[in-house]
Each structure stands twice: as C-alpha cells, then as structure tokens.
Amino acid sequence: MSNEKLEVKMINEKMKSLRKRFMTMRTLMKMLCIAFLIPHFSFLISSCARMGQPDGGWYDDDPPRVLYSTPAEQATNVTAKKMTIYFDEFIKLADPTQNVIVSPPQLEMPEIKATGKKIVIELQDTLIPNTTYTVDFSDAITDNNEDNPLGNYTYTFSTGEQIDTFEVSGYVIDASNLEPVKGISVGLYADLADSAFRTKPLLRIARTDGSGHFCIRGVAPGEYRVYALQDMDGNYMFTQKSEMIAFTHQTYSPYAKPDTRQDTIWRDTLHIDNILQVPYTHFYPDDIVMMAFQEIQSDRYLLKTERKEPDRIGVYFSYGNPQLPILRGLNFDADSAFILETTPKQDTLTYWLRDTMLVNKDTLELSMEYLMTDTLGQLVTQIDTIELVAKTPYAKRLKAKQKEIEEWQKEQDKKKKNEEPYDSIFPPKPLEIKYEVSQSMDPNRSVFFESPTPLAHLDTAAIHLYSQIDSMWYRAPYEFHRCDSMLRRYEMVVDWHPDTEYSLEIDSAAFIDIYGLASKPHKDGIKVKSLDAYATLQMQMSGLNEKHIIAQLLDGSDKVVQEAQMESDGAAQFYYVSPGTYYMRAFVDRNENGVWDTGDYDADLQPEDVYYYPREIEAKEKFDMTLQWNLTERKRNQQKPSKIIKQQPDKEKKRKQNRNAERARQLGIEYVKRAAH
C-alpha cells in the first residue's frame, strides 16, 4: 500500500473513532440533562399548578448504527452476491427500489430487504471483476420508532484487490427555474464520446437528494464526463425524449487531499461546549452544477379524439405541426362544416360544427388524414376512420329543453294569474360573454373579452368607453382586436389616464355567435389607480456579454408579474409595480423569440441560461428603485432565494430537531421559574 493511501486510511480510522466518541458524549449529555431537569420539573407541576406542562416529549433523534456486515465493509476479493448489514436497533428501509442505488448500475433489479435489525442485499447481475461496488442508501434507512435517518450511508466492497475511494459530487437543478431536482440519477462515463450516453449504460451512478445534491462514490482514478438522467426505462442510458437529462463537455479527474472541518460539541441544546478542528479526506470535484432539462417532445402521434359537447370535436396530438389534418365526412358533408380553433402550438384542435343539424346528429363518422412519426422518426401520412358520438344524445337534450320550457310556462301562468307582468314568448338563451375587467385598473393593463363559442358577428360600434373629466363624461379612445392565435378571445387596449374613472358600456347584441345567440347589455365601472400607488424598479444587470436578456419580475409563488427586455446599457425597467415582495429572474434569449427554450442533446444545444436575483425585492408606494445585479456572481445552485424554492429538503428531520430544542428551552424556563419561586 502506498504512503498516500496509508495516510488516507489512517485519517479515516481516526475520523471514525472521533465520531464514535462525540456520539457517545452527546448521548450521555442528553441523558444527564434529562435526569437533572425532569425531577425538578415534576416538583414544579405539583407545587405550581398554574404552570402548564410543555406539550409533547423528547424525540429520540439518534440514528441507528451499523454494528458489522458480511462481507465486511470495504472487503476485497468478494465473490458472493449476497450481503447482510447488521444494526444496533430495529430499522426500516423506505422504498429500496427508488431510494437505494447500486453502482455499477444493475440491469436486473437487486433484491434489498430490511427485517428486524438487518438489511439483506442480493445482487442478480454477474459481478464485474476488479470493480468497486457501492450500495448507496442515502436517507432510506431509519430507526423503527422515530424515523431518524442514518443519513448518506453507503456500503462498499470490491471484487478485486483494492477499493476505489474517490468521490465526485455536486448539484442538479432544473434549467428552467433553478429548482433542485430530487431523485434524478447522475453518472459517469470513462468513454468521453458523445455517443456513449446513447449507447452504453452509465459506469457509476448516484441519485440526488431533496437539495439536488449528489455524491458518486467508489470512483477509480481517471478522466470522466458527468451526465444526469431521469431514467424511464431502467437501461441507464438516454433513449427517450421524455427523460430529463443534463450534460456537459467538461471532463473531470477526481482526486483527494487531507482537510479539516469544524465540529461543534454542545454542552446542552442551548450552549456550545467546544468547537473542534476535525481532520477528514476532502474529495474533488465537489462543486459540479448540472442544468437539467427535457427536450421538446417532437414525436407526433394522435392522443385522442372526443366529442364531449355536441357542437364541437376535439383532436389532441402529442406535438403540433403546421400541416393540419384533413377531415372528410362519411355520413355527412364535411365541406365548410367546421370552424377550426387551434392552440398556439397546434397540438390541440377544436372543430366547431357550423350547422345545428350536425350539432343535433348523435353520431358523426369521418376519416382523418394527418402526419405522424413512424418507427424511424420520420413524419408519414396516416389515415384513420373515426366515429364520434355525442356524450348527451339529442333526444335527451330535447327532453331537457322541453322540461325547461314547461317550467318557464308554469312560472308565467302563475304571474298572469296574480296579475303580474309576464312574458308571452320563451326568451332565447343569451350569449354569455366573459368580461375580464378590473374595477381597480393598473395603467398598463388591458380589458379582455372571451366568447364561449366562435363569433359570427362583432359590432365594435356597440362597445363604448367613457372617461370622467371634471364631473363630465367623454368618449375615450381604444383599440380592439382579436388575440393572436386565439379564436374566441379579444383585447381592448386603452391609454388609461391615472387616477381617472371610466365607464365601459356594451349594447345588447354586440356579440353574436355562429348559432345566432346574442349577448346581453353590459356595464362596468373602472377606476384607474394613481401613480402614487406604485413603485418603479430599474434592474441594472452585469456579468454576461449578452445582448438579448429578458428580465422577469416574480411574485412569491415564482410566477411572472412583469417582464422587460434588457436595454443596451444593461438596464431593465419595470413600471407600475404594486407594493409587495417580489423576486427577479432573467434568461438569455439566445434565439430572440421572447420565450425560454429548452436544450437538445443530439444538436449539442444547452437550454437557455436562467439566473435568479438572490435577494427579495421590497416595493413600496412612490418609491423609485435602482438595483445592481451581477448575474454570475454566485453559482446557479446558490442563486434562487429559499423562500420561493418549492423543493425543500429534510423538513421532517428539521421539525424533530426543532421540537427537541424547543422542549429543552421550555424545560429550562420552567426550571428557572421554580428556582425563583
């Protein structure tokens, strides 16, 4: 054994001894503290009845300990495929299929079971000669009573003469929003070719925890590339576009060197007894940051067709295409039978039936010619015969309508008998337009109108907007147009005057749909807020040599409130910011299309870079703020503010520790009160 390896082994043995001593001291101090405080606390309860007992008791927060294993931990020349690990107490193993990682990856799932105070591992794959094996349990092992996790435990053995001890660690975060990615596999390739990720299983793997952290153990000296893979089919290589991945062309050569860290020894839960400098082996690299993404699902196939409502047909594809399907009627004439509505991506199509005769027809038979992806990944023409049955038959709908008319007639007869005003003709059903109007309007907002069905007629002359000036009402100008790529949604754009009242008035029959239904009259009062109600924010960005950056102002749920294009001087301007707490995100708009775009492995294309301003932004009325932001000042796994990170790690463990600390604090307070009393 070389001097370097001997030194590392001695350091590791010293660390184990120190940890065992510290754990024993910690447990002993807890016992002494409890033994000292509880008798006094009991006396307090009997002598001072008005003092309440703190709710709950102590949590046992000591994790289970490994006693021994067969084969032994870090054993060499192992030939057996069955291993047993023994513990000092009864333990539980949470979902080993998902939480336990065996490396090298096992193509046939190993059997891993916990019974009583032991865990039994049976590998099914043939053992690879001269290879270090690691079984990474992460936090899956807990004690049977309080679910205290053993924490990052890895069992190691080798089929050769030596144990490979290097480690490679870092973080995986979602490229679109910098969220930690939990449970994704991260692996190494000694083969540095790009094709390896597509053709070979990962050499060694680990899985990320709740903070996105990973640690690949048992790594041999050498040069590696690192990949992340949300493996959907269990083959440990990238074979499906639905799999989240991360890749980088950078290579890593792991190494280790001695280092020290601070360990805190607590006298009790409130007071520090000592801070020790503890030697340990520091493995590098330990700061890799992988940006995970999903490729666009460009494979095109028909998901489903449906006719939930009698007046429309829904067609759903996995991916859109500019060449839309061709529909031919088999039991009806399809020429000019439809009005087509599509989503912006053209993956969801709605065919509205123009003719009420077709609406009342229970079954529509048609053929649909469309493009789909074949087994070679090419778009080919596919023709399907489709039968679409209305969810509610016409006879049932007609019966419901007749019942509605009869109820209305009874009501009118009753009014007539009581000599009240009544209607002699059954009123037609109105067209229910959805008006998106804020009673308290921001100066940079629009008014939106949405029809439940396609419109045949829109009379803008019947839409009136008035503004109040010196108690007089004057007609206010506006622009009215249909929203891009949206058949039934319209926008009214107004140059609002701050601190001004408006009246939106719409005449009856301003909107008439393709079935002849007309809208009712409508009126809304609108008050535009004063400029004093807002803050103005200028974000001055630096750190990147990029021209096309879009900054986004976010609320507390990480949703976009406003966005602005970075100007030539690096500034992004945000106006009419309501008082509140905000956050900031920016992305490099590489292709200048105004939206964030994902990556593509085969095209060697990384997702567009995303950055987060690391602090909260507090906006106040009448405030003009200018903030400086160096986008690259922090690593991206350290940028997103913790308050808006949705993936929070180890909440239950932290809750138990806080419970113990609060329990000790309350006991201490009660003891002081008793002494004073």
Side-chain angles (χ1 to χ4, degrees):
M1 181 180 293
S2 66
N3 292 336
E4 182 182 354
K5 290 185 177 179
L6 182 61
E7 182 182 358
V8 170
K9 185 173 182 182
M10 291 175 65
I11 290 173
N12 286 335
E13 292 297 327
K14 188 172 182 181
M15 286 170 58
K16 289 181 181 178
S17 176
L18 283 169
R19 286 174 181 163
K20 188 177 291 185
R21 286 176 56 200
F22 295 157
M23 188 178 295
T24 306
M25 290 170 63
R26 180 185 177 192
T27 305
L28 181 60
M29 284 189 289
K30 282 185 179 179
M31 293 175 64
L32 288 171
C33 182
I34 295 170
F36 177 74
L37 289 175
I38 287 181
H40 298 288
F41 185 65
S42 301
F43 172 78
L44 252 173
I45 295 173
S46 61
S47 61
C48 301
R50 66 180 179 273
M51 293 185 181
Q53 180 179 355
D55 292 335
W58 289 96
Y59 272 111
D60 170 19
D61 62 353
D62 288 329
R65 291 189 298 117
V66 176
L67 297 178
Y68 62 95
S69 59
T70 57
E73 170 73 18
Q74 297 192 345
T76 56
N77 297 313
V78 173
T79 58
K81 295 198 291 184
K82 182 176 180 180
M83 302 90 194
T84 307
I85 306 171
Y86 297 89
F87 297 85
D88 65 340
E89 60 179 310
F90 290 98
I91 54 96
K92 293 187 293 186
L93 182 60
D95 194 1
T97 303
Q98 296 296 321
N99 296 328
V100 182
I101 299 292
V102 179
S103 199
Q106 303 294 291
L107 296 179
E108 189 172 349
M109 187 64 66
E111 294 183 8
I112 304 175
K113 299 178 182 177
T115 54
K117 298 183 179 181
K118 66 181 180 181
I119 291 176
V120 179
I121 306 162
E122 291 191 59
L123 303 182
Q124 307 301 315
D125 287 5
T126 302
L127 294 178
I128 304 171
N130 300 314
T131 301
T132 295
Y133 278 75
T134 57
V135 184
D136 187 353
F137 291 93
S138 187
D139 287 337
I141 301 173
T142 61
D143 63 25
N144 197 53
N145 295 323
E146 297 291 350
D147 289 335
N148 295 310
L150 178 55
N152 298 324
Y153 172 63
T154 302
Y155 172 73
T156 308
F157 67 91
S158 176
T159 57
E161 296 288 342
Q162 65 180 21
I163 296 287
D164 296 320
T165 59
F166 286 140
E167 297 177 2
V168 174
S169 60
Y171 294 85
V172 180
I173 55 179
D174 191 319
S176 66
N177 56 16
L178 306 195
E179 279 282 321
V181 180
K182 180 180 180 180
I184 193 171
S185 298
V186 187
L188 303 177
Y189 279 113
D191 185 343
L192 305 183
D194 292 343
S195 59
F197 196 29
R198 287 281 196 186
T199 58
K200 297 179 180 179
L202 291 162
L203 184 64
R204 303 199 68 80
I205 62 171
R207 192 170 286 161
T208 56
D209 60 17
S211 61
H213 183 261
F214 68 88
C215 182
I216 306 170
R217 297 181 172 89
V219 181
E223 187 178 11
Y224 300 93
R225 283 178 66 176
V226 184
Y227 295 82
L229 173 66
Q230 197 175 56
D231 195 15
M232 306 296 290
D233 48 15
N235 62 1
Y236 300 101
M237 54 181 139
F238 179 38
T239 55
Q240 300 182 29
K241 285 192 173 184
S242 59
E243 295 174 325
M244 178 177 273
I245 62 168
F247 71 97
T248 174
H249 288 295
Q250 185 174 351
T251 60
Y252 299 92
S253 298
Y255 64 98
K257 64 180 183 181
D259 205 343
T260 58
R261 64 166 173 254
Q262 290 185 346
D263 271 12
T264 303
I265 305 301
W266 292 85
R267 183 185 310 159
D268 51 42
T269 55
L270 301 175
H271 302 91
I272 295 174
D273 187 64
N274 198 3
I275 297 178
L276 301 178
Q277 299 295 322
V278 180
Y280 77 105
T281 303
H282 196 152
F283 295 97
Y284 298 90
D286 63 347
D287 58 353
I288 299 171
V289 179
M290 305 289 290
M291 309 304 296
F293 64 94
Q294 274 186 303
E295 293 185 347
I296 293 175
Q297 308 302 303
S298 58
D299 289 345
R300 178 176 167 85
Y301 50 89
L302 181 63
L303 296 173
K304 65 176 180 178
T305 58
E306 64 181 14
R307 192 182 172 196
K308 282 187 175 181
E309 300 295 335
D311 58 359
R312 74 203 75 164
I313 296 169
V315 180
Y316 303 87
F317 288 96
S318 60
Y319 190 72
N321 191 283
Q323 185 174 327
L324 298 172
I326 299 173
L327 271 57
R328 299 181 178 90
L330 300 180
N331 66 343
F332 68 100
D333 184 4
D335 292 341
S336 302
F338 305 111
I339 293 177
L340 177 60
E341 179 180 6
T342 70
T343 56
K345 293 183 179 180
Q346 295 185 317
D347 53 0
T348 300
L349 313 176
T350 302
Y351 291 86
W352 293 89
L353 298 170
R354 293 176 181 270
D355 192 345
T356 53
M357 293 291 290
L358 291 180
V359 174
N360 295 335
K361 194 176 180 66
D362 286 341
T363 303
L364 298 177
E365 296 176 3
L366 53 86
S367 70
M368 184 168 67
E369 180 181 327
Y370 61 95
L371 293 178
M372 66 168 288
T373 305
D374 65 7
T375 54
L376 299 177
Q378 303 297 318
L379 285 174
V380 297
T381 300
Q382 171 78 14
I383 300 177
D384 291 344
T385 299
I386 301 171
E387 183 179 83
L388 294 158
V389 180
K391 188 175 181 181
T392 307
Y394 174 66
K396 189 173 182 179
R397 284 180 274 138
L398 184 60
K399 187 176 180 180
K401 186 67 174 179
Q402 290 172 342
K403 186 176 180 180
E404 183 183 351
I405 293 174
E406 289 172 1
E407 293 293 331
W408 173 85
Q409 187 63 58
K410 288 179 182 179
E411 184 179 348
Q412 300 310 308
D413 291 343
K414 186 177 179 181
K415 289 181 178 180
K416 184 177 180 181
K417 185 177 179 180
N418 295 334
E419 297 183 351
E420 298 175 2
Y422 66 94
D423 297 320
S424 58
I425 301 175
F426 184 74
K429 181 181 178 182
L431 179 64
E432 299 291 347
I433 298 294
K434 181 181 178 182
Y435 300 96
E436 296 181 19
V437 184
S438 175
Q439 305 300 313
S440 181
M441 181 69 70
D442 294 324
N444 59 338
R445 302 298 180 192
S446 296
V447 176
F448 292 94
F449 305 73
E450 189 167 318
S451 173
T453 49
L455 296 180
H457 177 71
L458 169 58
D459 184 7
T460 54
I463 301 174
H464 314 283
L465 183 68
Y466 302 98
S467 62
Q468 188 180 43
I469 303 175
D470 296 331
S471 302
M472 299 293 291
W473 291 94
Y474 298 90
R475 188 177 294 274
Y478 64 85
E479 293 181 6
F480 195 91
H481 61 266
R482 196 175 76 181
C483 297
D484 292 340
S485 304
M486 305 185 79
L487 177 66
R488 297 175 290 111
R489 187 172 174 83
Y490 300 83
E491 181 181 15
M492 173 189 275
V493 181
V494 183
D495 183 13
W496 304 107
H497 291 185
D499 201 20
T500 301
E501 291 189 11
Y502 289 80
S503 178
L504 175 63
E505 301 175 13
I506 301 172
D507 299 338
S508 60
F511 306 94
I512 301 175
D513 76 353
I514 57 176
Y515 306 119
L517 299 182
S519 60
K520 299 182 295 184
H522 182 83
K523 185 175 181 179
D524 270 308
I526 302 170
K527 175 64 183 291
V528 180
K529 296 179 184 177
S530 166
L531 294 181
D532 290 343
Y534 301 99
T536 301
L537 169 63
Q538 175 177 287
M539 183 61 76
Q540 194 72 40
M541 295 180 285
S542 62
L544 286 178
N545 187 24
E546 297 282 354
K547 294 181 179 178
H548 303 288
I549 296 177
I550 294 178
Q552 297 174 321
L553 191 65
L554 310 172
D555 64 14
S557 60
D558 209 21
K559 292 182 179 179
V560 178
V561 177
Q562 283 191 48
E563 68 177 30
Q565 177 78 42
M566 184 187 74
E567 299 169 3
S568 58
D569 61 353
Q573 307 283 351
F574 296 89
Y575 302 101
Y576 308 120
V577 179
S578 297
T581 301
Y582 296 93
Y583 303 87
M584 184 72 70
R585 175 172 65 208
F587 68 91
V588 179
D589 189 17
R590 195 166 50 213
N591 58 2
E592 302 179 45
N593 66 348
V595 296
W596 178 84
D597 291 293
T598 189
D600 187 319
Y601 183 75
D602 292 332
D604 193 21
L605 189 66
Q606 291 285 350
E608 291 180 335
D609 292 329
V610 172
Y611 302 89
Y612 270 77
Y613 184 66
R615 291 173 287 279
E616 292 181 350
I617 300 171
E618 199 67 39
K620 298 180 181 180
E621 292 181 352
K622 305 180 184 180
F623 267 52
D624 292 336
M625 299 177 290
T626 299
L627 300 176
Q628 302 294 325
W629 181 16
N630 184 338
L631 280 73
T632 58
E633 185 177 10
R634 298 188 183 190
K635 283 183 171 291
R636 280 194 273 176
N637 64 299
Q638 300 171 352
Q639 289 185 3
K640 190 168 187 178
S642 59
K643 286 187 178 180
I644 57 173
I645 294 178
K646 297 179 177 63
Q647 177 60 59
Q648 295 289 342
D650 305 326
K651 286 185 178 181
E652 179 62 18
K653 181 179 179 181
K654 186 174 181 180
R655 187 184 70 82
K656 290 177 181 179
Q657 291 173 344
N658 290 343
R659 169 75 180 273
N660 271 351
E662 177 63 18
R663 177 69 170 165
R665 188 186 70 82
Q666 292 187 28
L667 284 172
I669 291 172
E670 294 293 342
Y671 176 71
V672 171
K673 287 181 178 178
R674 185 200 64 79
H677 183 72

